Amino acid sequence: MVTYNRIDLLERCVDGVRAQSRPVDALLVINNGSTDDTVARLAARNVDVLTQDNVGSAGGWSRAIAHALENGFDAVWLMDDDGCPDPGALAILADNLAPDRACVSSVVLQEDRPTHFVFPFPRLDRDGQPAIFAWPRKTPTLAGLQSQATNGLYPFAHLFNGALVSCVAARAVGNVETRYFFFGDEVDYFMRLSAWGPVVSHLDAKHYHPDVTRRPINEFRLYYYVKNTLILNRLYFNKPLLRSILTVGVGLARLRARSGWKSLFSMTVGAQRRVLWKAIARGFRGQVGDDLHV
């Protein structure tokens, strides 16, 4: 688990992992420089902790995977601090992590509305990539995805929220790219793992999570979403220019919906407009890194 200043939610997650019908062989928290009482409260629960500077979520996942590889584990089960796995999730994932599969992931459901995903699944085109022209482009419900899955498996995953990654695959493709810092490391790692072997979601392996789709968007989130998605479009996806135009449009639409018209005005033509234009320029130039204030 990777955490930063969410000890109450993290303790719930720890309890969920310890309640698994297939017990974990080890439990480790990567503490990204929390300033609350995370370390003391985890010590009281006898949870192993590795503390490091806050190097972003990508740095946390990288440390977790490195630890698993260095200590001879067969697989590493990755999750953020604010979700909680269903008691039977790990058993299902472990039973389905075939030798030729890179990763089997849980589906991430809204904890207050478990019929709906926190992160809707994209419909896939003939190349297995998120479809541009499908309607609807994404499937928001578990029932809707079940009609598209084969044997309960769907060939796409939202990593880092209950994903069981093969250490054989991780050793072959390398670690998470820490330079993505805040956004995009998940997609990059998904694509690299997929080049080694199938990455699938098992619809019976459930991971419950707060609905984060209404959280306000600030300049930090918009910048890294736009910049890193433009980079990923050019690296991995078909029709990258069209996808990049859509990326900017989606980013601005989410900004207006979550943070209001005033924020949209500021980011497009107002005082913060340079944030958006820097993100677009650096994204097209492929500049990966923690560089918002550079």
Side-chain angles (χ1 to χ4, degrees):
M1 306 169 201
V2 174
T3 191
Y4 176 71
N5 284 351
R6 284 178 176 159
I7 183 58
D8 292 334
L9 289 170
L10 177 61
E11 286 186 320
R12 182 186 68 164
C13 190
V14 168
D15 290 341
V17 170
R18 284 180 164 169
Q20 291 298 299
S21 60
R22 191 285 189 197
V24 296
D25 298 307
L27 190 157
L28 176 69
V29 171
I30 306 298
N31 174 30
N32 260 354
S34 295
T35 56
D36 59 9
D37 55 349
T38 290
V39 173
R41 286 170 62 174
L42 290 178
R45 288 171 167 262
N46 295 316
V47 176
D48 290 333
V49 181
L50 287 177
T51 296
Q52 60 185 17
D53 292 338
N54 189 2
V55 288
S57 57
W61 303 123
S62 175
R63 183 74 180 274
I65 292 169
H67 181 87
L69 296 180
E70 291 163 2
N71 288 275
F73 287 96
D74 299 315
V76 54
W77 196 24
L78 302 169
M79 63 191 71
D80 214 340
D81 52 8
D82 52 350
C84 186
D86 184 82
L90 181 57
I92 294 170
L93 299 175
D95 286 345
N96 285 273
L97 190 63
D100 63 335
R101 283 184 179 147
C103 172
V104 183
S105 182
S106 302
V107 292
V108 189
L109 302 172
Q110 297 178 25
E111 59 186 34
D112 295 329
R113 191 170 57 155
T115 55
H116 286 66
F117 298 123
V118 175
F119 312 108
F121 278 78
R123 292 179 178 268
L124 305 177
D125 62 19
R126 294 178 181 178
D127 298 326
Q129 298 193 348
I132 296 175
F133 299 109
W135 188 259
R137 293 183 63 228
K138 294 188 177 183
T139 302
T141 66
L142 182 59
L145 195 65
Q146 286 169 338
S147 64
Q148 303 171 49
T150 302
N151 297 323
L153 299 172
Y154 191 72
F156 187 88
H158 296 286
L159 300 185
F160 308 153
N161 283 285
L164 186 66
V165 177
S166 161
C167 284
V168 173
R171 189 169 284 107
V173 306
N175 212 325
V176 170
E177 174 55 80
T178 59
R179 292 182 301 161
Y180 283 106
F181 183 63
F182 177 73
F183 189 93
D185 51 311
E186 172 186 353
V187 176
D188 176 75
Y189 206 55
F190 169 82
M191 296 302 293
R192 287 161 53 205
L193 287 172
S194 296
W196 184 90
V199 176
V200 299
S201 291
H202 198 296
L203 274 61
D204 291 333
K206 299 172 182 178
H207 196 82
Y208 303 103
H209 196 283
D211 182 8
V212 298
T213 59
R214 296 182 182 180
R215 287 179 180 171
I217 296 176
N218 55 21
E219 64 172 23
F220 179 86
R221 291 179 178 274
L222 182 68
Y223 177 81
Y224 287 106
Y225 166 75
V226 170
K227 188 190 76 162
N228 290 350
T229 304
L230 297 189
I231 293 170
L232 294 166
N233 287 341
R234 294 182 64 190
L235 282 175
Y236 297 117
F237 296 105
N238 54 22
K239 302 179 178 64
L241 179 58
L242 178 56
R243 290 183 186 274
S244 295
I245 293 170
L246 290 172
T247 293
V248 176
V250 168
L252 294 177
R254 290 177 179 172
L255 178 67
R256 191 217 61 81
R258 299 193 202 178
S259 299
W261 287 103
K262 184 177 179 179
S263 292
L264 178 64
F265 179 85
S266 179
M267 291 287 187
T268 51
V269 296
Q272 294 178 296
R273 64 187 182 277
R274 292 186 68 246
V275 171
L276 176 62
W277 296 114
K278 278 200 303 186
I280 294 172
R282 291 174 177 177
F284 278 120
R285 289 199 296 263
Q287 292 180 230
V288 185
D290 175 18
D291 60 358
L292 171 58
H293 300 296
V294 176

PDB file of all heavy atoms in Angstrom, residues 45-80:
ATOM      1  N   ARG A  45      -0.046  -1.576  15.217  1.00  0.00           N
ATOM      2  CA  ARG A  45      -0.723  -2.702  14.549  1.00  0.00           C
ATOM      3  C   ARG A  45       0.277  -3.724  13.994  1.00  0.00           C
ATOM      4  O   ARG A  45      -0.112  -4.652  13.293  1.00  0.00           O
ATOM      5  CB  ARG A  45      -1.587  -2.185  13.401  1.00  0.00           C
ATOM      6  CG  ARG A  45      -2.837  -1.441  13.838  1.00  0.00           C
ATOM      7  CD  ARG A  45      -3.505  -0.778  12.636  1.00  0.00           C
ATOM      8  NE  ARG A  45      -4.845  -0.318  12.964  1.00  0.00           N
ATOM      9  CZ  ARG A  45      -5.962  -0.989  12.678  1.00  0.00           C
ATOM     10  NH1 ARG A  45      -5.884  -2.158  12.059  1.00  0.00           N
ATOM     11  NH2 ARG A  45      -7.141  -0.511  13.017  1.00  0.00           N
ATOM     12  N   ASN A  46       1.544  -3.536  14.276  1.00  0.00           N
ATOM     13  CA  ASN A  46       2.593  -4.430  13.786  1.00  0.00           C
ATOM     14  C   ASN A  46       2.614  -4.527  12.269  1.00  0.00           C
ATOM     15  O   ASN A  46       2.720  -5.617  11.690  1.00  0.00           O
ATOM     16  CB  ASN A  46       2.439  -5.831  14.400  1.00  0.00           C
ATOM     17  CG  ASN A  46       2.650  -5.831  15.903  1.00  0.00           C
ATOM     18  OD1 ASN A  46       3.587  -5.201  16.402  1.00  0.00           O
ATOM     19  ND2 ASN A  46       1.768  -6.496  16.624  1.00  0.00           N
ATOM     20  N   VAL A  47       2.518  -3.361  11.629  1.00  0.00           N
ATOM     21  CA  VAL A  47       2.579  -3.286  10.173  1.00  0.00           C
ATOM     22  C   VAL A  47       3.954  -2.782   9.767  1.00  0.00           C
ATOM     23  O   VAL A  47       4.440  -1.776  10.298  1.00  0.00           O
ATOM     24  CB  VAL A  47       1.488  -2.332   9.620  1.00  0.00           C
ATOM     25  CG1 VAL A  47       1.620  -2.191   8.100  1.00  0.00           C
ATOM     26  CG2 VAL A  47       0.099  -2.842   9.987  1.00  0.00           C
ATOM     27  N   ASP A  48       4.587  -3.473   8.842  1.00  0.00           N
ATOM     28  CA  ASP A  48       5.886  -3.038   8.337  1.00  0.00           C
ATOM     29  C   ASP A  48       5.723  -1.789   7.479  1.00  0.00           C
ATOM     30  O   ASP A  48       4.814  -1.712   6.639  1.00  0.00           O
ATOM     31  CB  ASP A  48       6.534  -4.137   7.498  1.00  0.00           C
ATOM     32  CG  ASP A  48       6.984  -5.324   8.337  1.00  0.00           C
ATOM     33  OD1 ASP A  48       7.269  -5.119   9.531  1.00  0.00           O
ATOM     34  OD2 ASP A  48       7.034  -6.444   7.796  1.00  0.00           O
ATOM     35  N   VAL A  49       6.622  -0.814   7.679  1.00  0.00           N
ATOM     36  CA  VAL A  49       6.542   0.467   6.985  1.00  0.00           C
ATOM     37  C   VAL A  49       7.911   0.834   6.420  1.00  0.00           C
ATOM     38  O   VAL A  49       8.926   0.692   7.108  1.00  0.00           O
ATOM     39  CB  VAL A  49       6.066   1.598   7.924  1.00  0.00           C
ATOM     40  CG1 VAL A  49       5.963   2.922   7.175  1.00  0.00           C
ATOM     41  CG2 VAL A  49       4.729   1.242   8.567  1.00  0.00           C
ATOM     42  N   LEU A  50       7.925   1.298   5.183  1.00  0.00           N
ATOM     43  CA  LEU A  50       9.104   1.931   4.598  1.00  0.00           C
ATOM     44  C   LEU A  50       8.755   3.397   4.368  1.00  0.00           C
ATOM     45  O   LEU A  50       7.828   3.699   3.614  1.00  0.00           O
ATOM     46  CB  LEU A  50       9.491   1.267   3.277  1.00  0.00           C
ATOM     47  CG  LEU A  50      10.117  -0.123   3.362  1.00  0.00           C
ATOM     48  CD1 LEU A  50      10.363  -0.669   1.951  1.00  0.00           C
ATOM     49  CD2 LEU A  50      11.407  -0.095   4.156  1.00  0.00           C
ATOM     50  N   THR A  51       9.456   4.295   5.029  1.00  0.00           N
ATOM     51  CA  THR A  51       9.176   5.725   4.904  1.00  0.00           C
ATOM     52  C   THR A  51      10.189   6.374   3.969  1.00  0.00           C
ATOM     53  O   THR A  51      11.391   6.108   4.056  1.00  0.00           O
ATOM     54  CB  THR A  51       9.216   6.399   6.278  1.00  0.00           C
ATOM     55  OG1 THR A  51       8.159   5.863   7.093  1.00  0.00           O
ATOM     56  CG2 THR A  51       9.018   7.908   6.149  1.00  0.00           C
ATOM     57  N   GLN A  52       9.693   7.207   3.077  1.00  0.00           N
ATOM     58  CA  GLN A  52      10.542   7.936   2.149  1.00  0.00           C
ATOM     59  C   GLN A  52       9.963   9.328   1.949  1.00  0.00           C
ATOM     60  O   GLN A  52       8.859   9.629   2.406  1.00  0.00           O
ATOM     61  CB  GLN A  52      10.631   7.195   0.806  1.00  0.00           C
ATOM     62  CG  GLN A  52       9.287   7.020   0.111  1.00  0.00           C
ATOM     63  CD  GLN A  52       9.389   6.172  -1.145  1.00  0.00           C
ATOM     64  OE1 GLN A  52      10.355   5.446  -1.363  1.00  0.00           O
ATOM     65  NE2 GLN A  52       8.380   6.264  -1.994  1.00  0.00           N
ATOM     66  N   ASP A  53      10.717  10.185   1.278  1.00  0.00           N
ATOM     67  CA  ASP A  53      10.186  11.498   0.940  1.00  0.00           C
ATOM     68  C   ASP A  53       8.978  11.349   0.038  1.00  0.00           C
ATOM     69  O   ASP A  53       8.796  10.325  -0.624  1.00  0.00           O
ATOM     70  CB  ASP A  53      11.251  12.337   0.228  1.00  0.00           C
ATOM     71  CG  ASP A  53      12.404  12.713   1.143  1.00  0.00           C
ATOM     72  OD1 ASP A  53      12.205  12.704   2.379  1.00  0.00           O
ATOM     73  OD2 ASP A  53      13.506  12.984   0.629  1.00  0.00           O
ATOM     74  N   ASN A  54       8.145  12.391  -0.011  1.00  0.00           N
ATOM     75  CA  ASN A  54       6.975  12.349  -0.882  1.00  0.00           C
ATOM     76  C   ASN A  54       7.418  12.556  -2.329  1.00  0.00           C
ATOM     77  O   ASN A  54       7.539  13.677  -2.809  1.00  0.00           O
ATOM     78  CB  ASN A  54       5.949  13.413  -0.480  1.00  0.00           C
ATOM     79  CG  ASN A  54       4.642  13.239  -1.242  1.00  0.00           C
ATOM     80  OD1 ASN A  54       4.487  12.321  -2.032  1.00  0.00           O
ATOM     81  ND2 ASN A  54       3.698  14.118  -0.981  1.00  0.00           N
ATOM     82  N   VAL A  55       7.673  11.441  -2.989  1.00  0.00           N
ATOM     83  CA  VAL A  55       8.146  11.472  -4.372  1.00  0.00           C
ATOM     84  C   VAL A  55       7.010  11.142  -5.344  1.00  0.00           C
ATOM     85  O   VAL A  55       7.250  10.688  -6.459  1.00  0.00           O
ATOM     86  CB  VAL A  55       9.324  10.501  -4.565  1.00  0.00           C
ATOM     87  CG1 VAL A  55      10.559  11.041  -3.883  1.00  0.00           C
ATOM     88  CG2 VAL A  55       8.985   9.114  -4.018  1.00  0.00           C
ATOM     89  N   GLY A  56       5.774  11.402  -4.900  1.00  0.00           N
ATOM     90  CA  GLY A  56       4.632  11.157  -5.754  1.00  0.00           C
ATOM     91  C   GLY A  56       4.202   9.699  -5.719  1.00  0.00           C
ATOM     92  O   GLY A  56       4.932   8.825  -5.245  1.00  0.00           O
ATOM     93  N   SER A  57       3.006   9.450  -6.250  1.00  0.00           N
ATOM     94  CA  SER A  57       2.487   8.086  -6.242  1.00  0.00           C
ATOM     95  C   SER A  57       3.392   7.147  -7.033  1.00  0.00           C
ATOM     96  O   SER A  57       3.603   5.989  -6.649  1.00  0.00           O
ATOM     97  CB  SER A  57       1.068   8.061  -6.814  1.00  0.00           C
ATOM     98  OG  SER A  57       1.031   8.604  -8.123  1.00  0.00           O
ATOM     99  N   ALA A  58       3.953   7.638  -8.148  1.00  0.00           N
ATOM    100  CA  ALA A  58       4.819   6.787  -8.963  1.00  0.00           C
ATOM    101  C   ALA A  58       6.027   6.316  -8.169  1.00  0.00           C
ATOM    102  O   ALA A  58       6.444   5.150  -8.273  1.00  0.00           O
ATOM    103  CB  ALA A  58       5.265   7.547 -10.213  1.00  0.00           C
ATOM    104  N   GLY A  59       6.597   7.205  -7.346  1.00  0.00           N
ATOM    105  CA  GLY A  59       7.724   6.812  -6.511  1.00  0.00           C
ATOM    106  C   GLY A  59       7.343   5.788  -5.465  1.00  0.00           C
ATOM    107  O   GLY A  59       8.158   4.930  -5.091  1.00  0.00           O
ATOM    108  N   GLY A  60       6.116   5.857  -4.990  1.00  0.00           N
ATOM    109  CA  GLY A  60       5.639   4.871  -4.026  1.00  0.00           C
ATOM    110  C   GLY A  60       5.491   3.492  -4.646  1.00  0.00           C
ATOM    111  O   GLY A  60       5.939   2.484  -4.084  1.00  0.00           O
ATOM    112  N   TRP A  61       4.878   3.432  -5.831  1.00  0.00           N
ATOM    113  CA  TRP A  61       4.702   2.133  -6.485  1.00  0.00           C
ATOM    114  C   TRP A  61       6.046   1.535  -6.877  1.00  0.00           C
ATOM    115  O   TRP A  61       6.256   0.320  -6.787  1.00  0.00           O
ATOM    116  CB  TRP A  61       3.816   2.268  -7.723  1.00  0.00           C
ATOM    117  CG  TRP A  61       2.480   2.860  -7.429  1.00  0.00           C
ATOM    118  CD1 TRP A  61       1.922   3.977  -7.988  1.00  0.00           C
ATOM    119  CD2 TRP A  61       1.507   2.387  -6.481  1.00  0.00           C
ATOM    120  NE1 TRP A  61       0.686   4.224  -7.443  1.00  0.00           N
ATOM    121  CE2 TRP A  61       0.405   3.264  -6.525  1.00  0.00           C
ATOM    122  CE3 TRP A  61       1.471   1.305  -5.601  1.00  0.00           C
ATOM    123  CZ2 TRP A  61      -0.721   3.092  -5.711  1.00  0.00           C
ATOM    124  CZ3 TRP A  61       0.353   1.135  -4.789  1.00  0.00           C
ATOM    125  CH2 TRP A  61      -0.724   2.025  -4.852  1.00  0.00           C
ATOM    126  N   SER A  62       6.948   2.386  -7.316  1.00  0.00           N
ATOM    127  CA  SER A  62       8.270   1.900  -7.689  1.00  0.00           C
ATOM    128  C   SER A  62       8.979   1.249  -6.498  1.00  0.00           C
ATOM    129  O   SER A  62       9.588   0.174  -6.622  1.00  0.00           O
ATOM    130  CB  SER A  62       9.108   3.074  -8.225  1.00  0.00           C
ATOM    131  OG  SER A  62      10.428   2.665  -8.493  1.00  0.00           O
ATOM    132  N   ARG A  63       8.879   1.890  -5.332  1.00  0.00           N
ATOM    133  CA  ARG A  63       9.522   1.327  -4.132  1.00  0.00           C
ATOM    134  C   ARG A  63       8.869  -0.003  -3.748  1.00  0.00           C
ATOM    135  O   ARG A  63       9.556  -0.959  -3.350  1.00  0.00           O
ATOM    136  CB  ARG A  63       9.401   2.327  -2.985  1.00  0.00           C
ATOM    137  CG  ARG A  63      10.090   1.893  -1.689  1.00  0.00           C
ATOM    138  CD  ARG A  63      11.591   2.012  -1.791  1.00  0.00           C
ATOM    139  NE  ARG A  63      12.258   1.607  -0.547  1.00  0.00           N
ATOM    140  CZ  ARG A  63      12.477   2.413   0.497  1.00  0.00           C
ATOM    141  NH1 ARG A  63      12.072   3.684   0.448  1.00  0.00           N
ATOM    142  NH2 ARG A  63      13.099   1.968   1.572  1.00  0.00           N
ATOM    143  N   ALA A  64       7.558  -0.085  -3.863  1.00  0.00           N
ATOM    144  CA  ALA A  64       6.851  -1.312  -3.506  1.00  0.00           C
ATOM    145  C   ALA A  64       7.262  -2.475  -4.409  1.00  0.00           C
ATOM    146  O   ALA A  64       7.533  -3.591  -3.941  1.00  0.00           O
ATOM    147  CB  ALA A  64       5.342  -1.089  -3.589  1.00  0.00           C
ATOM    148  N   ILE A  65       7.299  -2.230  -5.711  1.00  0.00           N
ATOM    149  CA  ILE A  65       7.657  -3.290  -6.652  1.00  0.00           C
ATOM    150  C   ILE A  65       9.110  -3.695  -6.471  1.00  0.00           C
ATOM    151  O   ILE A  65       9.453  -4.885  -6.509  1.00  0.00           O
ATOM    152  CB  ILE A  65       7.367  -2.827  -8.088  1.00  0.00           C
ATOM    153  CG1 ILE A  65       5.849  -2.692  -8.288  1.00  0.00           C
ATOM    154  CG2 ILE A  65       7.954  -3.797  -9.115  1.00  0.00           C
ATOM    155  CD1 ILE A  65       5.440  -2.003  -9.573  1.00  0.00           C
ATOM    156  N   ALA A  66       9.979  -2.721  -6.254  1.00  0.00           N
ATOM    157  CA  ALA A  66      11.382  -3.038  -6.018  1.00  0.00           C
ATOM    158  C   ALA A  66      11.546  -3.934  -4.797  1.00  0.00           C
ATOM    159  O   ALA A  66      12.338  -4.895  -4.801  1.00  0.00           O
ATOM    160  CB  ALA A  66      12.188  -1.746  -5.843  1.00  0.00           C
ATOM    161  N   HIS A  67      10.800  -3.648  -3.737  1.00  0.00           N
ATOM    162  CA  HIS A  67      10.868  -4.465  -2.524  1.00  0.00           C
ATOM    163  C   HIS A  67      10.436  -5.901  -2.815  1.00  0.00           C
ATOM    164  O   HIS A  67      11.071  -6.860  -2.343  1.00  0.00           O
ATOM    165  CB  HIS A  67       9.977  -3.854  -1.441  1.00  0.00           C
ATOM    166  CG  HIS A  67       9.998  -4.610  -0.150  1.00  0.00           C
ATOM    167  ND1 HIS A  67      10.935  -4.388   0.840  1.00  0.00           N
ATOM    168  CD2 HIS A  67       9.188  -5.599   0.318  1.00  0.00           C
ATOM    169  CE1 HIS A  67      10.701  -5.203   1.860  1.00  0.00           C
ATOM    170  NE2 HIS A  67       9.647  -5.942   1.565  1.00  0.00           N
ATOM    171  N   ALA A  68       9.361  -6.059  -3.581  1.00  0.00           N
ATOM    172  CA  ALA A  68       8.877  -7.406  -3.902  1.00  0.00           C
ATOM    173  C   ALA A  68       9.911  -8.177  -4.717  1.00  0.00           C
ATOM    174  O   ALA A  68      10.148  -9.371  -4.481  1.00  0.00           O
ATOM    175  CB  ALA A  68       7.559  -7.311  -4.669  1.00  0.00           C
ATOM    176  N   LEU A  69      10.535  -7.515  -5.671  1.00  0.00           N
ATOM    177  CA  LEU A  69      11.536  -8.181  -6.508  1.00  0.00           C
ATOM    178  C   LEU A  69      12.786  -8.531  -5.697  1.00  0.00           C
ATOM    179  O   LEU A  69      13.362  -9.613  -5.865  1.00  0.00           O
ATOM    180  CB  LEU A  69      11.904  -7.283  -7.689  1.00  0.00           C
ATOM    181  CG  LEU A  69      10.786  -6.975  -8.684  1.00  0.00           C
ATOM    182  CD1 LEU A  69      11.300  -6.063  -9.797  1.00  0.00           C
ATOM    183  CD2 LEU A  69      10.194  -8.250  -9.270  1.00  0.00           C
ATOM    184  N   GLU A  70      13.189  -7.627  -4.836  1.00  0.00           N
ATOM    185  CA  GLU A  70      14.406  -7.858  -4.048  1.00  0.00           C
ATOM    186  C   GLU A  70      14.224  -8.974  -3.026  1.00  0.00           C
ATOM    187  O   GLU A  70      15.212  -9.601  -2.607  1.00  0.00           O
ATOM    188  CB  GLU A  70      14.804  -6.576  -3.324  1.00  0.00           C
ATOM    189  CG  GLU A  70      15.304  -5.478  -4.261  1.00  0.00           C
ATOM    190  CD  GLU A  70      15.304  -4.111  -3.600  1.00  0.00           C
ATOM    191  OE1 GLU A  70      14.953  -4.033  -2.392  1.00  0.00           O
ATOM    192  OE2 GLU A  70      15.614  -3.120  -4.279  1.00  0.00           O
ATOM    193  N   ASN A  71      12.981  -9.246  -2.625  1.00  0.00           N
ATOM    194  CA  ASN A  71      12.732 -10.225  -1.564  1.00  0.00           C
ATOM    195  C   ASN A  71      12.102 -11.519  -2.063  1.00  0.00           C
ATOM    196  O   ASN A  71      11.617 -12.326  -1.262  1.00  0.00           O
ATOM    197  CB  ASN A  71      11.866  -9.591  -0.476  1.00  0.00           C
ATOM    198  CG  ASN A  71      12.644  -8.568   0.342  1.00  0.00           C
ATOM    199  OD1 ASN A  71      13.331  -8.926   1.291  1.00  0.00           O
ATOM    200  ND2 ASN A  71      12.551  -7.297  -0.046  1.00  0.00           N
ATOM    201  N   GLY A  72      12.137 -11.737  -3.367  1.00  0.00           N
ATOM    202  CA  GLY A  72      11.790 -13.036  -3.916  1.00  0.00           C
ATOM    203  C   GLY A  72      10.324 -13.407  -3.918  1.00  0.00           C
ATOM    204  O   GLY A  72       9.981 -14.601  -3.925  1.00  0.00           O
ATOM    205  N   PHE A  73       9.425 -12.426  -3.934  1.00  0.00           N
ATOM    206  CA  PHE A  73       8.002 -12.742  -3.984  1.00  0.00           C
ATOM    207  C   PHE A  73       7.585 -13.152  -5.401  1.00  0.00           C
ATOM    208  O   PHE A  73       8.221 -12.766  -6.390  1.00  0.00           O
ATOM    209  CB  PHE A  73       7.175 -11.541  -3.516  1.00  0.00           C
ATOM    210  CG  PHE A  73       7.260 -11.306  -2.037  1.00  0.00           C
ATOM    211  CD1 PHE A  73       8.165 -10.395  -1.512  1.00  0.00           C
ATOM    212  CD2 PHE A  73       6.453 -12.004  -1.158  1.00  0.00           C
ATOM    213  CE1 PHE A  73       8.260 -10.181  -0.148  1.00  0.00           C
ATOM    214  CE2 PHE A  73       6.528 -11.804   0.214  1.00  0.00           C
ATOM    215  CZ  PHE A  73       7.450 -10.889   0.716  1.00  0.00           C
ATOM    216  N   ASP A  74       6.514 -13.921  -5.488  1.00  0.00           N
ATOM    217  CA  ASP A  74       5.973 -14.351  -6.785  1.00  0.00           C
ATOM    218  C   ASP A  74       5.125 -13.267  -7.427  1.00  0.00           C
ATOM    219  O   ASP A  74       5.049 -13.182  -8.655  1.00  0.00           O
ATOM    220  CB  ASP A  74       5.113 -15.614  -6.606  1.00  0.00           C
ATOM    221  CG  ASP A  74       5.920 -16.771  -6.063  1.00  0.00           C
ATOM    222  OD1 ASP A  74       7.043 -16.996  -6.551  1.00  0.00           O
ATOM    223  OD2 ASP A  74       5.438 -17.446  -5.129  1.00  0.00           O
ATOM    224  N   ALA A  75       4.461 -12.472  -6.592  1.00  0.00           N
ATOM    225  CA  ALA A  75       3.566 -11.431  -7.100  1.00  0.00           C
ATOM    226  C   ALA A  75       3.442 -10.351  -6.042  1.00  0.00           C
ATOM    227  O   ALA A  75       3.693 -10.591  -4.848  1.00  0.00           O
ATOM    228  CB  ALA A  75       2.188 -12.003  -7.445  1.00  0.00           C
ATOM    229  N   VAL A  76       3.040  -9.168  -6.485  1.00  0.00           N
ATOM    230  CA  VAL A  76       2.849  -8.049  -5.560  1.00  0.00           C
ATOM    231  C   VAL A  76       1.454  -7.483  -5.793  1.00  0.00           C
ATOM    232  O   VAL A  76       1.053  -7.213  -6.922  1.00  0.00           O
ATOM    233  CB  VAL A  76       3.959  -6.983  -5.744  1.00  0.00           C
ATOM    234  CG1 VAL A  76       4.073  -6.504  -7.183  1.00  0.00           C
ATOM    235  CG2 VAL A  76       3.744  -5.816  -4.791  1.00  0.00           C
ATOM    236  N   TRP A  77       0.721  -7.336  -4.698  1.00  0.00           N
ATOM    237  CA  TRP A  77      -0.665  -6.847  -4.743  1.00  0.00           C
ATOM    238  C   TRP A  77      -0.630  -5.375  -4.361  1.00  0.00           C
ATOM    239  O   TRP A  77      -0.305  -5.034  -3.223  1.00  0.00           O
ATOM    240  CB  TRP A  77      -1.512  -7.654  -3.758  1.00  0.00           C
ATOM    241  CG  TRP A  77      -2.988  -7.529  -3.948  1.00  0.00           C
ATOM    242  CD1 TRP A  77      -3.672  -7.198  -5.071  1.00  0.00           C
ATOM    243  CD2 TRP A  77      -3.982  -7.797  -2.942  1.00  0.00           C
ATOM    244  NE1 TRP A  77      -5.026  -7.228  -4.840  1.00  0.00           N
ATOM    245  CE2 TRP A  77      -5.236  -7.590  -3.548  1.00  0.00           C
ATOM    246  CE3 TRP A  77      -3.927  -8.178  -1.602  1.00  0.00           C
ATOM    247  CZ2 TRP A  77      -6.435  -7.757  -2.853  1.00  0.00           C
ATOM    248  CZ3 TRP A  77      -5.120  -8.351  -0.916  1.00  0.00           C
ATOM    249  CH2 TRP A  77      -6.360  -8.141  -1.534  1.00  0.00           C
ATOM    250  N   LEU A  78      -0.957  -4.514  -5.299  1.00  0.00           N
ATOM    251  CA  LEU A  78      -0.790  -3.074  -5.139  1.00  0.00           C
ATOM    252  C   LEU A  78      -2.128  -2.386  -4.894  1.00  0.00           C
ATOM    253  O   LEU A  78      -3.110  -2.651  -5.594  1.00  0.00           O
ATOM    254  CB  LEU A  78      -0.141  -2.487  -6.394  1.00  0.00           C
ATOM    255  CG  LEU A  78       1.223  -3.073  -6.770  1.00  0.00           C
ATOM    256  CD1 LEU A  78       1.626  -2.622  -8.159  1.00  0.00           C
ATOM    257  CD2 LEU A  78       2.280  -2.683  -5.750  1.00  0.00           C
ATOM    258  N   MET A  79      -2.140  -1.459  -3.936  1.00  0.00           N
ATOM    259  CA  MET A  79      -3.363  -0.692  -3.700  1.00  0.00           C
ATOM    260  C   MET A  79      -3.048   0.620  -3.007  1.00  0.00           C
ATOM    261  O   MET A  79      -2.064   0.744  -2.272  1.00  0.00           O
ATOM    262  CB  MET A  79      -4.377  -1.496  -2.884  1.00  0.00           C
ATOM    263  CG  MET A  79      -3.945  -1.875  -1.497  1.00  0.00           C
ATOM    264  SD  MET A  79      -5.081  -3.085  -0.750  1.00  0.00           S
ATOM    265  CE  MET A  79      -4.712  -4.549  -1.718  1.00  0.00           C
ATOM    266  N   ASP A  80      -3.893   1.606  -3.271  1.00  0.00           N
ATOM    267  CA  ASP A  80      -3.791   2.910  -2.632  1.00  0.00           C
ATOM    268  C   ASP A  80      -4.355   2.816  -1.223  1.00  0.00           C
ATOM    269  O   ASP A  80      -4.936   1.798  -0.828  1.00  0.00           O
ATOM    270  CB  ASP A  80      -4.563   3.942  -3.462  1.00  0.00           C
ATOM    271  CG  ASP A  80      -3.929   5.316  -3.425  1.00  0.00           C
ATOM    272  OD1 ASP A  80      -3.143   5.571  -2.489  1.00  0.00           O
ATOM    273  OD2 ASP A  80      -4.224   6.124  -4.313  1.00  0.00           O
TER     274      ASP A  80
END
